[in-house]
Amino acid sequence: GGGGIPLRGYGSLAEILLAALPPLLWLGLLGASGALAIHFLLPRLGLLTKAGLGYGLGLSIFSITLGALSLFGIPVNRTSVLGVTGGLIVFSLVLVLLSHRRKDTAGNSGTSAQQGPGTTGFWLVLIALLGLISLLIGVGKGYHAADEIVLWGAKGYGIAAMESLQDIIQWGTNTVPYPLHIPVLIASVKLLFGEAMPASKIIFSGYYLALMAIIYQFFLGRGLRQTLAGLSVLLIGTLPIVFRHATIAYANLPMSYYFVSAVLLLTSSLEDSRARQNEKAALLSGMLFACSAWTRPEGLLMAWFSTGYILAAQYLRSRKRFPLRFLIHIFAPLALYSLSWLVVKSSIYPVMPNRADLASRALSQIGHGDLHLNEALFVLGSTFKSLLDY
């Protein structure tokens, strides 16, 4: 009896596949823009690594740009989403031209992209099939798990409905000031394509597939045979907790993608003897660490701690000081994001609920005999059940 308009249905599988093509194309364009930016920075990276890192970088740059425009008063609507998308495509084409000019200037030596160890189509097909299965399950289930309904999805739909980030506190749970990378992406898909499928679930299968591609090429670069590298990636990709998060709209998998990618890139850069490549890899690693912080609140502390830990471990192992330029490249993106988030957080989360008030209210009710036994038993039962889910 809510009076809402029901979503249209689909009459055949062909209609569903046709409806999936536009969001897939949109995500592909964002991923391509990120991959071209990475190629401009690090042309020697393997093709799979460029594609995998490009997906996450492109989506993050998009959401950061759209969020920044909203804070300056530009509404988050179909026009602005298409405008930012078009701007990133133009920017990537400019990078292509600059890459060709740089190659022509430098000659063929030193700038030709080395794709790294060869990859076997058999393993790539298996990895792609695993990603496709996660996509079909995720889209088929729609929004069904707790946090994707009361947090990420709710905030994404709220942004699309209000056309702004300023009223985000009115939508979904607000126990902590959550970054808005995932909600902005969900809102953008909602604005562009509607949610009859729902198409925004494709985003998370994309992160899952990109992460497996990055890890696969990383293993190959470490000298693992293709069979062992492929089996290792499939082992990681079929871990129940990993695969489940590829099918639900939580920010856990995207943040893990950024975090793992940043760590792998940073550790690899420390082994590169070429100073210039080393600095560029450090810069990209710092950007990915910042992206992890823009995805979940825990990402910021984890990024600072892990970066410091890795650098300290490398120093203790080699006893060599890091050049100042290298440290600036790795820490500049994190520092810039940290300062920006302080400003953004105070703007979009002006008032947060006081947890102490919640605790005192709960104790007061318990003191008056309102024990909420049914609710307590439900929480305990759900907790023990979840321990045995996998």
Side-chain angles (χ1 to χ4, degrees), residues 77-100:
N77 54 27
R78 188 182 179 90
T79 301
S80 60
V81 171
L82 290 175
V84 174
T85 303
L88 290 180
I89 294 171
V90 171
F91 177 72
S92 65
L93 292 176
V94 170
L95 290 181
V96 171
L97 295 176
L98 292 176
S99 297
H100 282 300

Side-chain angles (χ1 to χ4, degrees), residues 295-316:
T295 307
R296 275 195 68 94
E298 304 90 341
L300 185 58
L301 181 60
M302 291 174 63
W304 280 108
F305 175 80
S306 299
T307 304
Y309 174 82
I310 292 170
L311 293 178
Q314 176 68 10
Y315 173 76
L316 291 175

Side-chain angles (χ1 to χ4, degrees), residues 20 47 49 85 167 179 224 230 261 310 313 326 334-335 345:
L47 181 60
T49 304
T85 303
D167 301 315
L224 268 68
S261 300
I310 292 170
F326 176 86
L334 264 178
K345 183 173 65 172

